[in-house]
Amino acid sequence: MSEMRLVVAGAAGRMGRMLVQAIHETPGATLSGALEREGSIALGQDAGLLAGAGNLGVAISADPLAALSHADGLIDFSSPAATVAYAGFAAQARIVHVIGTTGLSPTDVEKIDAAARHATIVRSGNMSLGVNLLAGLVKKVAQTLGEDFDIEVLEMHHRMKVDAPSGTALLLGEAAAAGRNIDLAARSVRARDGHTGARIAGDIGFATLRGGTVVGEHQVIFAGAGERIELAHRAEDRAIFARGAIRAALWGHGRKPGHYSMADVLGLSDI
């Protein structure tokens, strides 16, 4: 099979540059396009040179239709509004769309679901292979222990992160909720302040920390009577997200349209 032609959204940003570099280093993948918003000072620059990968002959553009017309896939760690728009373009082009964007609203997800009728969409709050394996373990532990153990999700990120809880924390919370066959939206506790009363059995709590340059740390605590189980993941290099996203794109190449997750990519859906 020929190399998968990939387009990177937000190619001039920190994550975008990592994706360009990682695609250049990955057998079976090649960079065919690079996108930025209108007015970006990076427009017209070579994406490879900007990423430190050398001259790749791919100029950064603000025209998604042109970039995607000769592509097999799009990797997108942008903003919710941009991601929804890109999903529509991916559906028109009938290609793979890998989404690592966080902070998506339920309405955004509905629009992505609609695009997945024609595009092969792989979406995750975290593209790290380790985090998605952790999610599978969280689901299994939650299923096994039941409500005798309280579940708390603790996360910390750098001071510049704008959404909370993180997409990864929500991914882990959803895994725990799935293990217990409950609705996370109805059973999650996002904040505690003042006289809150006793903890309600079965709820899933979230705690958010922000500061410094922390790439990402997540911990899921199962607290029972007289014992505690802690499952954790610490990201030390953002390149893990780029590598996971490229693996997702290669997995999706040639698959039928649909809305998939990293659990599908890693064969964890049956856990």
Side-chain angles (χ1 to χ4, degrees), residues 17 20-21 31 44-58 60:
R17 296 194 303 272
V20 169
Q21 179 75 46
L31 184 73
Q45 295 185 46
D46 185 274
L49 288 175
L50 196 60
N55 192 330
L56 300 180
V58 178
I60 297 176

Side-chain angles (χ1 to χ4, degrees), residues 4-11 15-24 26 29-36 68 71-79 82-83 86 90 95-101 120 122 127 241-251:
M4 186 177 187
R5 299 166 297 177
L6 294 172
V7 175
V8 173
M15 193 67 225
R17 296 194 303 272
M18 286 188 176
L19 284 164
V20 169
Q21 179 75 46
I23 290 169
H24 178 61
T26 302
T30 187
L31 184 73
S32 67
L35 293 169
E36 266 297 343
L68 298 179
D72 301 307
L74 167 68
I75 301 181
D76 168 20
F77 286 73
S78 58
S79 66
T83 288
Y86 283 136
I95 62 173
V96 177
H97 184 192
V98 176
I99 299 174
T101 304
T120 304
V122 182
M127 287 291 166
F241 309 130
R243 291 193 293 268
I246 294 168
R247 177 163 173 174
L250 293 170
W251 177 88

Side-chain angles (χ1 to χ4, degrees), residues 186-261:
R187 300 301 302 273
S188 67
V189 177
R190 304 293 183 85
R192 296 185 178 104
D193 185 30
H195 187 75
T196 62
R199 191 186 197 284
I200 298 174
D203 279 355
I204 297 175
F206 290 84
T208 298
L209 305 177
R210 294 287 180 267
T213 58
V214 177
V215 174
E217 296 186 3
H218 295 85
Q219 185 176 17
V220 183
I221 302 168
F222 294 84
E227 60 182 333
R228 188 166 69 243
I229 299 168
E230 299 177 0
L231 303 176
H233 179 273
R234 291 175 177 83
E236 299 175 353
D237 184 348
R238 287 183 176 82
I240 63 174
F241 309 130
R243 291 193 293 268
I246 294 168
R247 177 163 173 174
L250 293 170
W251 177 88
H253 194 198
R255 291 188 185 271
K256 65 180 182 180
H259 194 166
Y260 300 95
S261 70

Side-chain angles (χ1 to χ4, degrees), residues 3-4 13 23 40 43 59 69 114 124 150 156 162 169 184 200 202 207 224 242 249:
E3 290 187 321
M4 186 177 187
I23 290 169
S40 169
L43 294 178
S69 63
S124 178
D150 299 319
M156 182 170 186
V162 297
L184 180 65
I200 298 174

